[in-house]
Amino acid sequence: MWRCFFAFLFFFLIIPQQNCSHVTSLTIDLINATCKQCADKSTSFSYDFCTTSLQPIPISHATNLQGLALIAMELALENATNTISKIESLLSRGEFDTFTLWCLKDCMELYRDGVSMLVTSIGVFMIEQYDVADLLLSAVVETASTCEDGFKEREGEASPLTAENDNLSQLGAIALCIINLLSVALNL
Protein backbone atom coordinates (compact mmCIF):
# COMPACT_ATOMS: atom_id res chain seq x y z
CA MET A 1 0.00 0.00 0.00
CA TRP A 2 2.74 2.44 0.97
CA ARG A 3 4.57 1.69 -2.30
CA CYS A 4 1.56 2.78 -4.34
CA PHE A 5 1.18 5.95 -2.27
CA PHE A 6 4.91 6.65 -2.61
CA ALA A 7 4.78 6.20 -6.40
CA PHE A 8 1.58 8.24 -6.66
CA LEU A 9 3.20 11.07 -4.70
CA PHE A 10 6.29 10.86 -6.88
CA PHE A 11 4.22 11.19 -10.05
CA PHE A 12 2.72 14.43 -8.76
CA LEU A 13 6.23 15.75 -8.26
CA ILE A 14 7.31 15.01 -11.85
CA ILE A 15 4.19 15.95 -13.80
CA PRO A 16 4.93 18.91 -16.04
CA GLN A 17 2.73 21.94 -15.45
CA GLN A 18 1.56 22.38 -19.06
CA ASN A 19 -1.57 22.08 -21.14
CA CYS A 20 -2.78 18.52 -20.65
CA SER A 21 -3.63 17.75 -24.29
CA HIS A 22 -0.19 18.98 -25.36
CA VAL A 23 1.43 16.84 -22.68
CA THR A 24 -0.58 13.80 -23.76
CA SER A 25 0.60 14.06 -27.35
CA LEU A 26 4.17 14.66 -26.21
CA THR A 27 4.18 11.70 -23.85
CA ILE A 28 2.68 9.33 -26.40
CA ASP A 29 5.51 10.49 -28.63
CA LEU A 30 7.87 10.03 -25.66
CA ILE A 31 6.57 6.51 -25.08
CA ASN A 32 6.84 5.59 -28.77
CA ALA A 33 10.27 7.20 -29.16
CA THR A 34 11.59 5.59 -25.99
CA CYS A 35 10.28 2.15 -26.90
CA LYS A 36 11.69 2.53 -30.41
CA GLN A 37 15.12 3.57 -29.10
CA CYS A 38 15.16 0.56 -26.79
CA ALA A 39 14.00 -1.83 -29.52
CA ASP A 40 16.69 -0.48 -31.86
CA LYS A 41 19.34 -1.29 -29.23
CA SER A 42 18.31 -4.92 -28.69
CA THR A 43 16.83 -7.63 -30.90
CA SER A 44 15.19 -9.24 -27.86
CA PHE A 45 13.39 -6.03 -26.82
CA SER A 46 9.74 -5.90 -27.88
CA TYR A 47 8.58 -2.49 -29.07
CA ASP A 48 4.96 -3.68 -29.00
CA PHE A 49 5.21 -5.00 -25.44
CA CYS A 50 6.80 -1.72 -24.37
CA THR A 51 4.13 0.52 -25.87
CA THR A 52 1.21 -1.68 -24.82
CA SER A 53 2.57 -1.79 -21.26
CA LEU A 54 3.19 1.94 -20.84
CA GLN A 55 0.39 3.59 -22.83
CA PRO A 56 -2.60 2.22 -20.86
CA ILE A 57 -1.27 3.69 -17.62
CA PRO A 58 -3.01 7.09 -17.29
CA ILE A 59 -0.10 8.83 -15.57
CA SER A 60 2.24 7.80 -18.41
CA HIS A 61 0.59 10.48 -20.53
CA ALA A 62 1.66 13.25 -18.16
CA THR A 63 5.20 12.32 -17.22
CA ASN A 64 8.80 12.40 -18.37
CA LEU A 65 11.48 9.78 -18.99
CA GLN A 66 12.07 9.27 -15.26
CA GLY A 67 8.35 8.72 -14.80
CA LEU A 68 8.29 6.12 -17.57
CA ALA A 69 11.11 4.21 -15.88
CA LEU A 70 9.25 4.33 -12.59
CA ILE A 71 6.06 3.10 -14.27
CA ALA A 72 7.97 0.15 -15.75
CA MET A 73 9.42 -0.69 -12.33
CA GLU A 74 5.98 -0.44 -10.70
CA LEU A 75 4.53 -2.73 -13.39
CA ALA A 76 7.37 -5.20 -12.78
CA LEU A 77 6.65 -5.05 -9.05
CA GLU A 78 2.95 -5.71 -9.69
CA ASN A 79 3.87 -8.63 -11.95
CA ALA A 80 6.23 -10.13 -9.37
CA THR A 81 3.69 -9.75 -6.56
CA ASN A 82 0.95 -11.34 -8.67
CA THR A 83 3.31 -14.16 -9.61
CA ILE A 84 3.93 -14.91 -5.94
CA SER A 85 0.15 -15.20 -5.47
CA LYS A 86 -0.07 -17.52 -8.47
CA ILE A 87 2.74 -19.70 -7.12
CA GLU A 88 1.03 -19.88 -3.72
CA SER A 89 -2.17 -20.94 -5.44
CA LEU A 90 -0.38 -23.59 -7.51
CA LEU A 91 1.41 -24.96 -4.45
CA SER A 92 -1.82 -25.17 -2.45
CA ARG A 93 -3.46 -27.35 -5.10
CA GLY A 94 -0.96 -30.17 -4.60
CA GLU A 95 -1.38 -31.35 -8.20
CA PHE A 96 2.29 -31.47 -9.10
CA ASP A 97 5.03 -34.07 -8.84
CA THR A 98 8.05 -33.56 -6.58
CA PHE A 99 10.22 -31.98 -9.31
CA THR A 100 7.61 -29.37 -10.24
CA LEU A 101 6.92 -28.61 -6.57
CA TRP A 102 10.62 -27.94 -5.98
CA CYS A 103 10.75 -25.72 -9.06
CA LEU A 104 7.73 -23.76 -7.84
CA LYS A 105 9.27 -23.39 -4.37
CA ASP A 106 12.52 -22.16 -5.94
CA CYS A 107 10.55 -19.67 -8.04
CA MET A 108 8.71 -18.51 -4.93
CA GLU A 109 12.00 -17.72 -3.22
CA LEU A 110 13.36 -16.05 -6.36
CA TYR A 111 10.27 -13.90 -6.77
CA ARG A 112 10.22 -12.89 -3.09
CA ASP A 113 13.82 -11.76 -3.47
CA GLY A 114 12.83 -10.06 -6.73
CA VAL A 115 10.08 -8.07 -5.01
CA SER A 116 12.56 -6.89 -2.40
CA MET A 117 15.05 -5.89 -5.10
CA LEU A 118 12.34 -4.06 -7.05
CA VAL A 119 11.28 -2.06 -4.01
CA THR A 120 14.91 -1.17 -3.35
CA SER A 121 15.54 -0.33 -7.01
CA ILE A 122 12.60 2.09 -6.99
CA GLY A 123 13.98 3.78 -3.89
CA VAL A 124 17.50 4.19 -5.26
CA PHE A 125 16.15 5.28 -8.64
CA MET A 126 14.18 8.05 -6.96
CA ILE A 127 17.38 9.43 -5.42
CA GLU A 128 19.02 9.15 -8.85
CA GLN A 129 21.39 6.30 -8.04
CA TYR A 130 20.81 4.90 -11.50
CA ASP A 131 23.80 2.56 -11.40
CA VAL A 132 22.47 0.81 -8.30
CA ALA A 133 18.94 0.64 -9.75
CA ASP A 134 20.43 -0.84 -12.93
CA LEU A 135 22.26 -3.53 -10.96
CA LEU A 136 19.16 -4.47 -8.96
CA LEU A 137 16.91 -4.55 -12.03
CA SER A 138 19.41 -6.75 -13.86
CA ALA A 139 19.19 -9.20 -10.96
CA VAL A 140 15.38 -9.10 -11.15
CA VAL A 141 15.47 -9.93 -14.86
CA GLU A 142 17.81 -12.81 -14.03
CA THR A 143 15.27 -13.96 -11.42
CA ALA A 144 12.71 -14.60 -14.15
CA SER A 145 15.24 -16.45 -16.32
CA THR A 146 16.42 -18.59 -13.42
CA CYS A 147 12.86 -19.51 -12.52
CA GLU A 148 12.09 -20.52 -16.09
CA ASP A 149 15.37 -22.43 -16.48
CA GLY A 150 14.63 -24.50 -13.39
CA PHE A 151 11.72 -26.18 -15.17
CA LYS A 152 13.89 -26.88 -18.22
CA GLU A 153 16.25 -29.01 -16.16
CA ARG A 154 13.90 -31.92 -16.81
CA GLU A 155 13.23 -32.58 -20.45
CA GLY A 156 9.62 -32.07 -21.43
CA GLU A 157 8.74 -30.16 -18.27
CA ALA A 158 6.48 -27.19 -18.99
CA SER A 159 6.69 -24.20 -16.72
CA PRO A 160 3.33 -22.94 -15.45
CA LEU A 161 5.00 -19.53 -15.06
CA THR A 162 6.31 -18.90 -18.58
CA ALA A 163 4.06 -15.89 -19.25
CA GLU A 164 4.83 -14.31 -15.88
CA ASN A 165 8.58 -14.88 -16.28
CA ASP A 166 8.52 -13.40 -19.79
CA ASN A 167 6.52 -10.38 -18.62
CA LEU A 168 8.89 -9.71 -15.73
CA SER A 169 11.87 -9.96 -18.07
CA GLN A 170 10.28 -7.56 -20.55
CA LEU A 171 9.19 -5.05 -17.91
CA GLY A 172 12.64 -5.16 -16.37
CA ALA A 173 14.18 -4.64 -19.81
CA ILE A 174 12.01 -1.55 -20.34
CA ALA A 175 13.13 -0.04 -17.03
CA LEU A 176 16.77 -0.97 -17.67
CA CYS A 177 16.76 0.61 -21.10
CA ILE A 178 15.18 3.83 -19.84
CA ILE A 179 17.69 4.01 -16.99
CA ASN A 180 20.45 3.56 -19.55
CA LEU A 181 18.98 6.40 -21.64
CA LEU A 182 18.84 8.62 -18.54
CA SER A 183 22.41 7.74 -17.57
CA VAL A 184 23.66 8.61 -21.06
CA ALA A 185 21.72 11.87 -21.05
CA LEU A 186 23.20 12.78 -17.67
CA ASN A 187 26.67 11.48 -18.62
CA LEU A 188 26.76 9.04 -15.70
Side-chain angles (χ1 to χ4, degrees):
M1 177 70 172
W2 62 269
R3 287 178 282 196
C4 293
F5 174 74
F6 193 51
F8 187 71
L9 180 63
F10 177 73
F11 285 131
F12 276 113
L13 297 175
I14 62 172
I15 294 174
Q17 301 298 318
Q18 300 174 0
N19 179 303
C20 216
S21 64
H22 179 67
V23 171
T24 300
S25 66
L26 285 177
T27 54
I28 289 175
D29 290 343
L30 178 63
I31 292 168
N32 290 334
T34 302
C35 292
K36 180 164 179 11
Q37 274 186 285
C38 293
D40 288 348
K41 290 181 180 219
S42 171
T43 57
S44 64
F45 190 94
S46 170
Y47 170 84
D48 291 335
F49 185 91
C50 182
T51 57
T52 58
S53 296
L54 296 176
Q55 286 180 352
I57 307 301
I59 196 72
S60 72
H61 301 284
T63 194
N64 55 21
L65 201 53
Q66 290 91 343
L68 291 180
L70 189 58
I71 290 167
M73 288 186 276
E74 289 284 343
L75 288 171
L77 181 58
E78 179 181 24
N79 169 275
T81 303
N82 290 341
T83 302
I84 289 171
S85 295
K86 180 175 180 175
I87 295 169
E88 288 171 344
S89 173
L90 290 170
L91 287 171
S92 71
R93 288 192 215 159
E95 302 175 350
F96 299 102
D97 63 17
T98 304
F99 176 79
T100 304
L101 287 174
W102 280 110
C103 289
L104 287 169
K105 288 177 183 178
D106 286 345
C107 289
M108 175 72 84
E109 185 176 332
L110 289 165
Y111 269 85
R112 284 183 176 151
D113 291 344
V115 165
S116 177
M117 287 185 283
L118 281 163
V119 169
T120 303
S121 70
I122 290 168
V124 297
F125 176 82
M126 291 180 69
I127 58 172
E128 297 182 4
Q129 290 184 352
Y130 297 147
D131 55 337
V132 178
D134 183 274
L135 181 66
L136 290 165
L137 285 166
S138 295
V140 169
V141 170
E142 189 62 32
T143 289
S145 297
T146 302
C147 173
E148 192 67 23
D149 290 345
F151 290 95
K152 294 177 183 174
E153 288 181 14
R154 184 164 79 178
E155 192 170 326
E157 187 71 29
S159 168
L161 302 172
T162 299
E164 291 81 0
N165 289 332
D166 185 53
N167 289 342
L168 183 59
S169 291
Q170 289 286 337
L171 292 166
I174 294 168
L176 283 167
C177 182
I178 296 172
I179 289 172
N180 179 266
L181 293 173
L182 287 166
S183 296
V184 169
L186 298 172
N187 295 318
L188 296 177

